[in-house]
């Protein structure tokens, strides 16, 4: 999505929020989602999704994310190590780790490309929660949001990150695999010299 002036972007986000409940079925067909799609009859799920989009719309401007404590986590663009697709760059707010509040995502995911102003584009909103017993064979503490279970548990993605659950909402970038799929098969990260070719499996989360 191209960079928009903040006022125009907020107006767009407001329109999305207002129309979300009525258009969800068309925007996120169940067959395109890896796992269940939110039930458009679930009023709380619809309200929570609208809240998430409304609250995070200002982070289209990368400077607002930095100002609010979302910090780039390392310098790596996250690509799927077990198949096709990528997530992009994680900007993490440690104070929101473990949150299931739609207004307090733990991470914002930005594009690998930069716009004409040298800023990355917001693509995804993510909630993350540590696996309580750090045993990936047990799932009794799996969180839910929008009427959906979190993905996982899975290993940490970077040094010091615990085994965890997460849930992605591709609110600002179309994901052909579905709005709540964690990897976007249409995206790639910059290729490093010597990087081996990965097998093509868009639905392998690597959990």
């Amino acid at each position: 999505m191209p960079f928009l002036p903040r006022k125009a972007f907020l107006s767009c986000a407001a329109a999305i929020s207002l129309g979300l409940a009525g258009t969800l079925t068309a925007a996120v067909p169940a067959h395109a989602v890896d796992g269940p799609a939110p039930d458009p009859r679930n009023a709380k799920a619809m309200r929570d999704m609208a809240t998430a989009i409304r609250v995070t719309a200002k982070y289209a401007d990368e400077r607002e994310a930095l100002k609010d404590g979302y910090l780039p986590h390392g310098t790596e663009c996250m690509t799927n190590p077990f198949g096709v697709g990528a997530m992009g760059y994680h900007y993490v707010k440690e104070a929101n780790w473990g949150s299931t509040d739609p207004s307090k995502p733990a991470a914002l995911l930005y594009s690998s490309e930069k716009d004409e102003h040298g800023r990355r584009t917001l693509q995804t909103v993510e909630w993350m929660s540590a696996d309580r017993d750090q045993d990936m064979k047990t799932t009794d503490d799996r969180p839910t949001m929008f009427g959906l279970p979190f993905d996982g548990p899975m290993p940490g993605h970077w040094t010091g990150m615990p085994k965890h659950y997460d849930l992605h909402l591709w609110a600002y970038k179309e994901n052909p695999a579905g709005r709540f799929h964690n990897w976007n098969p249409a995206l790639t990260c910059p290729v490093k010299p010597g990087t081996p070719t990965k097998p093509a499996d868009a639905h392998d989360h690597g959990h």
Side-chain angles (χ1 to χ4, degrees):
M1 186 175 76
F3 180 82
L4 295 175
R6 185 180 177 197
K7 184 175 181 181
F9 189 90
L10 291 175
S11 297
C12 178
I16 292 172
S17 297
L18 290 172
L20 188 59
T23 62
L24 183 67
T25 303
V28 192
H31 68 270
V33 178
D34 185 16
D39 186 340
R41 298 167 298 182
N42 183 334
K44 183 179 187 304
M46 297 301 101
R47 287 195 305 270
D48 285 351
M49 288 178 66
T51 295
I53 293 171
R54 174 177 54 80
V55 170
T56 59
K58 67 177 181 177
Y59 299 132
D61 186 336
E62 187 182 6
R63 295 170 298 181
E64 292 296 320
L66 295 170
K67 185 188 304 181
D68 282 359
Y70 286 95
L71 303 178
H73 200 97
T75 58
E76 295 295 322
C77 174
M78 187 167 290
T79 191
N80 186 354
F82 298 97
V84 300
M87 291 182 187
Y89 289 86
H90 284 71
Y91 287 48
V92 178
K93 185 170 184 175
E94 295 294 341
N96 288 356
W97 180 267
S99 168
T100 54
D101 183 333
S103 68
K104 296 179 179 179
L108 307 171
L109 277 65
Y110 285 85
S111 65
S112 58
E113 303 84 12
K114 295 183 179 181
D115 62 21
E116 65 272 22
H117 305 288
R119 302 178 196 127
R120 301 191 188 280
T121 302
L122 178 62
Q123 298 182 145
T124 323
V125 183
E126 180 180 4
W127 292 264
M128 298 186 287
S129 180
D131 179 20
R132 184 176 58 235
D133 61 8
Q134 293 296 287
D135 182 349
M136 292 194 295
K137 297 188 295 293
T138 62
T139 61
D140 59 298
D141 60 335
R142 183 190 305 280
T144 61
M145 287 186 70
F146 315 121
L148 299 176
F150 278 43
D151 290 319
M154 67 193 83
H157 301 313
W158 48 73
T159 302
M161 185 180 189
K163 297 180 180 69
H164 67 287
Y165 301 91
D166 64 32
L167 184 66
H168 295 74
L169 169 57
W170 290 84
Y172 304 101
K173 179 73 174 180
E174 182 181 359
N175 186 341
R179 182 169 286 196
F180 292 91
H181 195 287
N182 53 1
W183 300 105
N184 189 324
L187 299 181
T188 58
C189 288
V191 178
K192 296 179 179 179
T195 301
T197 302
K198 300 182 179 67
D201 181 357
H203 295 280
D204 191 336
H205 290 190
H207 296 176

